[in-house]
Amino acid sequence: MNNELDWKHLPFGYYPTDFNVRCTYKDGKWGEIEVTPSDKIELHMAATCLHYGQECFEGLKAFRGVDGKIRIFRMHDNAERMRQSAEGIEMQPVPEEIFNEMCIKAVKLNERFVPPYGSGASLYIRPLEIGVSPSIGVKSATEYVFMVMVTPVGPYFKTGFGCTDICIMRQYDRVAPRGTGRYKIGGNYAASLTATEHAHALGYSAVLFLDPKEKKYLDECGPANFFAIIDGKYVTPKSDSILPSITNRALQTLAQEMGIEVVARQITVDELEKATEAGACGTAAVISPVGTIRDLDNERDYVISADRKPGPVCTALYEKLNAIRLGEEPDTHNWNTIVE
Ligand code: PLP
Ligand code: COI
């Protein structure tokens, strides 16, 4: 166990760990898995990742459970999404066995950085793949490197499981209507930075992006999906331009099991009037309950939580999700991979 870290107050940031794991695709095949203590990489300056954005990544978490065991949440789903992202930008997909083996290896090698049970923190696992062969013409690489690094983290939004305020602004798009929004690729995040910085400067923690075609429907919330409780139902945007969140899928399953109807559909901005709760959800954000949503262009506030307390549905879902990830409740959906 690492004694230098203040587990209960970890930020969502990069803290160096002991090792990371790498694998190279070259001459038409994936090579041996390598372990290194270095957090640097050497790259050709004409690598396709640097010029043409051939980069995709994932984000998942490992938790120390009530029984002392380490569990990785929904790793297989992240492997599958990473495959889709890679194929979406003409990169060589990482076989699921390599993805899984490397995530598990990276966690095991850095076991002393897995936060203790009860700290509220977790070990964030960040797999990433880049095109590394040189090209000046716009085309996909012939060589790729897949890496898995890990770092201990606390909550993404400073408020943790407290209400956060977000805003709607229409002058920026994160993605195009038939673009790459459903993939987890660096380019989407680069395209979101100006809007996000703008929102931060105005005092909001994230932008609730609207659909890029009509600017009529809710899309997603910065680095997280969005859901609202409307007429007692769990309502979440159905859209081709958002990342299909694995956390959101888990919450939908849990909501249904609690007897709450789940609806994935287009949601117009003015429907927020009827929302009794709302949340941003994702691996990093977990559930961040939303306090107020400011529509900047129309100077209108949608006050979701007047007392600034997380509502009953958000609270129940948050507790249930955590209980499963920490081994406090049975994992009936086989979401956890126990690291032996
Ligand atoms: N949307 C975006 C843009 C994200 O970056 C993330 C984070 O991964 C999510 C949604 C949530 O996805 P997940 O729950 O799979 O982490
Ligand atoms: C995640 O939730 O895993 C993310 O990747 C969000 C963000 C830090 C990019």
Side-chain angles (χ1 to χ4, degrees), residues 122-232:
S122 57
L123 189 72
Y124 186 70
I125 308 170
R126 173 54 68 80
L128 74 152
E129 185 186 359
I130 51 176
V132 293
S133 48
S135 182
I136 286 301
V138 182
K139 57 180 190 290
S140 60
T142 53
E143 292 172 21
Y144 294 87
V145 175
F146 174 56
M147 295 167 265
V148 180
M149 62 182 206
V150 299
T151 194
V153 295
Y156 189 81
F157 292 113
K158 281 198 285 290
T159 40
F161 190 62
C163 280
T164 192
D165 296 333
I166 60 178
C167 64
I168 293 170
M169 46 167 86
R170 289 169 184 75
Q171 76 254 52
Y172 311 102
D173 289 317
R174 189 186 79 96
V175 292
R178 292 201 178 125
T180 55
R182 63 189 183 282
Y183 305 129
K184 200 159 171 70
I185 59 173
N188 293 344
Y189 296 80
S192 75
L193 287 175
T194 304
T196 304
E197 291 298 324
H198 192 160
H200 287 172
L202 296 172
Y204 300 99
S205 62
V207 178
L208 178 52
F209 289 100
L210 300 185
D211 80 277
K213 188 171 179 202
E214 295 186 70
K215 301 275 185 164
K216 200 166 149 196
Y217 305 105
L218 306 180
D219 237 355
E220 64 181 337
C221 180
N225 272 185
F226 179 82
F227 67 87
I229 307 301
I230 299 177
D231 297 330

Side-chain angles (χ1 to χ4, degrees), residues 9-276:
H9 302 102
L10 284 181
F12 188 89
Y14 178 72
Y15 185 88
T17 52
D18 291 336
F19 299 102
N20 61 85
V21 190
R22 306 175 185 198
C23 188
T24 299
Y25 178 89
K26 199 176 170 179
D27 300 328
K29 59 179 188 307
W30 290 95
E32 295 296 311
I33 293 171
E34 292 162 32
V35 173
T36 169
S38 167
D39 49 14
K40 306 281 191 301
I41 50 178
E42 190 168 294
L43 265 186
H44 194 292
M45 67 167 126
T48 64
C49 64
L50 298 178
H51 297 255
Y52 305 126
Q54 272 201 312
E55 188 269 356
C56 62
F57 67 103
E58 267 307 325
L60 59 165
K61 279 176 172 173
F63 302 84
R64 173 99 46 194
V66 61
D67 51 6
K69 291 182 183 163
I70 299 172
R71 289 171 173 78
I72 304 178
F73 188 67
R74 297 198 76 164
M75 178 175 70
H76 302 279
D77 297 284
N78 291 88
E80 168 57 17
R81 192 172 63 189
M82 178 116 178
R83 184 188 65 72
Q84 291 169 11
S85 298
E87 288 179 348
I89 53 169
E90 299 300 325
M91 294 174 69
Q92 182 64 36
V94 176
E96 169 156 9
E97 314 82 71
I98 296 183
F99 182 97
N100 294 345
E101 187 180 340
M102 284 175 59
C103 287
I104 291 170
K105 206 175 182 95
V107 171
K108 271 191 188 166
L109 289 167
N110 295 291
E111 193 180 334
R112 71 190 187 99
F113 295 96
V114 182
Y117 171 72
S119 63
S122 57
L123 189 72
Y124 186 70
I125 308 170
R126 173 54 68 80
L128 74 152
E129 185 186 359
I130 51 176
V132 293
S133 48
S135 182
I136 286 301
V138 182
K139 57 180 190 290
S140 60
T142 53
E143 292 172 21
Y144 294 87
V145 175
F146 174 56
M147 295 167 265
V148 180
M149 62 182 206
V150 299
T151 194
V153 295
Y156 189 81
F157 292 113
K158 281 198 285 290
T159 40
F161 190 62
C163 280
T164 192
D165 296 333
I166 60 178
C167 64
I168 293 170
M169 46 167 86
R170 289 169 184 75
Q171 76 254 52
Y172 311 102
D173 289 317
R174 189 186 79 96
V175 292
R178 292 201 178 125
T180 55
R182 63 189 183 282
Y183 305 129
K184 200 159 171 70
I185 59 173
N188 293 344
Y189 296 80
S192 75
L193 287 175
T194 304
T196 304
E197 291 298 324
H198 192 160
H200 287 172
L202 296 172
Y204 300 99
S205 62
V207 178
L208 178 52
F209 289 100
L210 300 185
D211 80 277
K213 188 171 179 202
E214 295 186 70
K215 301 275 185 164
K216 200 166 149 196
Y217 305 105
L218 306 180
D219 237 355
E220 64 181 337
C221 180
N225 272 185
F226 179 82
F227 67 87
I229 307 301
I230 299 177
D231 297 330
K233 298 176 189 157
Y234 181 107
V235 186
T236 190
K238 186 178 167 70
S239 162
D240 289 337
S241 49
I242 65 175
L243 189 76
S245 158
I246 295 163
T247 312
N248 193 357
R249 243 163 55 211
L251 296 177
Q252 292 178 40
T253 302
L254 298 177
Q256 269 161 348
E257 287 174 356
M258 290 172 185
I260 298 167
E261 192 178 330
V262 171
V263 191
R265 61 164 173 85
Q266 291 180 315
I267 308 170
T268 57
V269 176
D270 54 15
E271 283 187 77
L272 288 170
E273 256 177 39
K274 293 190 285 171
T276 49

